[in-house]
Amino acid sequence: MQSKIWVIGDSHSRAFSYNNNFIPFFMGEGKKHCFVNDECLSNLISKVLHIAKEVIAQDSILLFLGEPDTRLYLGRGWKPWEKTIGFSIRRRSKIRRSFGRYRQLIRAVKDATNARLLILNITPSDRKDQNKLVDYFNQLLSDFCLKEKDVAFIDINRAIYSPEAKTVKEAYYGDPVHLNMKIQLLVENWLIDKGIIERSFYDEENTMDKKKLKKNFKYNEKFGCYTL
């Protein structure tokens, strides 16, 4: 039986739904499941470990977290697409603090389970200033995972970025915060290459163009559905 990948994260984890390779866990909205303060970290450690203790050794845990931090640190609240402001290098100090808390979570999970631990890179958006913070956060995570035993960093952003615009490619765009389910295939390819899974179960029928739907419906971020 092929091993499973337990995807644990905020609302971004829902991009791994409807695929037999993945068991996605949506712990709750990003503003409460991030690394902006110690209270959020404590909440994350408690919830992630509650899930991780159920993972059998042959399976893998994939943490998909961190994007909300890069969004909040722009200084425009949780909906930065509603305002415009320049990039400040000082925001990198906040990213370093978030990285320090993420590192604590990773080590807590390592201590609590024998399952393989994978870290998916923080994914970009259509906001160039946020993507600078995303890239910096990912570099810190990548460098850490390279030195940390039994932790692998999955970087799929090279395929997702539009090199000309420095924003997310249209093919992977879901909404102002999330990417669509096409990222499943990128992660599956990485997992197959490493011998962690044997085949892809990505189903393109489950991928939809949310931009078209938004012309006629309102998207509810909290519940991940459309309303009239």
Side-chain angles (χ1 to χ4, degrees):
M1 184 174 68
Q2 179 161 300
S3 62
K4 298 289 187 179
I5 313 300
W6 297 49
V7 183
I8 306 175
D10 50 37
S11 55
H12 291 274
S13 64
R14 294 178 300 194
F16 289 90
S17 300
Y18 310 114
N19 185 318
N20 286 336
N21 278 322
F22 303 107
I23 306 175
F25 285 86
F26 168 34
M27 294 185 294
E29 58 184 339
K31 66 178 65 176
K32 295 180 180 178
H33 298 82
C34 56
F35 303 97
V36 298
N37 56 50
D38 290 339
E39 182 179 356
C40 286
L41 173 62
S42 178
N43 177 45
L44 273 176
I45 290 177
S46 176
K47 289 188 175 181
V48 173
L49 294 188
H50 181 73
I51 299 169
K53 69 181 182 181
E54 302 296 331
V55 183
I56 59 177
Q58 75 176 45
D59 288 350
S60 301
I61 295 172
L62 175 63
L63 296 182
F64 193 9
L65 296 159
E67 182 278 329
D69 300 63
T70 64
R71 188 166 14 118
L72 182 65
Y73 292 155
L74 293 179
R76 290 174 259 167
W78 296 107
K79 297 182 179 180
W81 53 89
E82 295 180 352
K83 299 178 183 178
T84 302
I85 194 170
F87 175 73
S88 171
I89 197 69
R90 289 192 297 271
R91 297 191 181 106
R92 291 194 172 197
S93 63
K94 294 182 178 180
I95 291 295
R96 287 194 293 271
R97 288 195 288 272
S98 282
F99 161 70
R101 296 186 181 101
Y102 200 162
R103 182 174 55 194
Q104 290 183 60
L105 172 65
I106 291 170
R107 286 176 170 165
V109 176
K110 277 185 58 181
D111 291 341
T113 177
N114 292 321
R116 181 186 292 107
L117 181 56
L118 310 169
I119 309 300
L120 182 58
N121 65 235
I122 298 162
T123 49
S125 67
D126 59 351
R127 292 173 292 282
K128 293 181 182 181
D129 50 356
Q130 183 180 347
N131 290 342
K132 292 178 181 179
L133 296 178
V134 167
D135 290 343
Y136 183 55
F137 203 159
N138 279 328
Q139 188 60 58
L140 294 173
L141 285 169
S142 177
D143 291 346
F144 167 71
C145 292
L146 191 62
K147 299 174 184 177
E148 191 77 1
K149 185 179 180 181
D150 299 327
V151 181
F153 184 74
I154 303 178
D155 186 357
I156 60 172
N157 274 1
R158 289 184 181 181
I160 291 172
Y161 267 127
S162 170
E164 298 83 13
K166 303 298 182 183
T167 58
V168 65
K169 291 179 180 178
E170 182 71 22
Y172 296 100
Y173 185 90
D175 60 42
V177 173
H178 309 92
L179 302 186
N180 60 39
M181 290 182 181
K182 288 182 179 179
I183 67 171
Q184 289 180 13
L185 189 56
L186 299 177
V187 174
E188 283 182 322
N189 288 339
W190 188 95
L191 294 167
I192 292 170
D193 183 64
K194 301 298 181 182
I196 297 174
I197 61 173
E198 297 176 358
R199 54 162 292 195
S200 169
F201 285 104
Y202 170 70
D203 183 2
E204 195 168 2
E205 292 295 320
N206 286 316
T207 303
M208 66 181 72
D209 186 346
K210 292 185 178 181
K211 277 190 171 181
K212 292 180 180 179
L213 287 175
K214 283 185 176 182
K215 291 181 180 179
N216 299 314
F217 304 98
K218 181 179 179 181
Y219 185 70
N220 186 307
E221 294 284 353
K222 182 176 181 180
F223 296 104
C225 62
Y226 292 89
T227 58
L228 295 175

